[in-house]
Amino acid sequence: PPSTATADEIARGRARYDERCALCHDAPGNAGGFFRRGLFPDLAYSPALASAAAFDAIVLGGARAPNGMASYAAVLEEGDSSAIRAFIIERANAVLASRRSAQ
């Protein structure tokens, strides 16, 4: 989806992503992502980005708990989930733009 968040919200999302998500969801070989190695999805490609409700159902509601993605409701503050989603959307759009310009 298009990025509509403010720079401050995206920065907050990046900070929370780095704290809570990067270890499993960032690319292997980067500072985070040690466990990803193909087991955990790259969130930039998640269809849940299209819907705040779907994203919150996963991150806060534990909708993917049977697949190993527990709820983070107990460790995130109000607004953190939407900020994390905003950061991932911004990053996903940047990746898409760079791929389009490379073609």
Side-chain angles (χ1 to χ4, degrees), residues 34-80:
F34 179 75
F35 295 109
R36 184 165 160 239
R37 310 252 185 250
L39 298 176
F40 301 99
D42 181 339
L43 299 178
Y45 298 96
S46 174
L49 290 179
S51 165
F55 193 82
D56 284 349
I58 295 167
V59 174
L60 301 174
R64 298 271 165 81
N67 296 342
M69 173 61 194
S71 168
Y72 276 70
V75 296
L76 294 176
E77 296 177 9
E78 185 175 337
D80 282 350

Side-chain angles (χ1 to χ4, degrees), residues 2-13:
S3 179
T4 58
T6 66
D8 287 343
E9 184 176 15
I10 292 167
R12 175 182 172 187

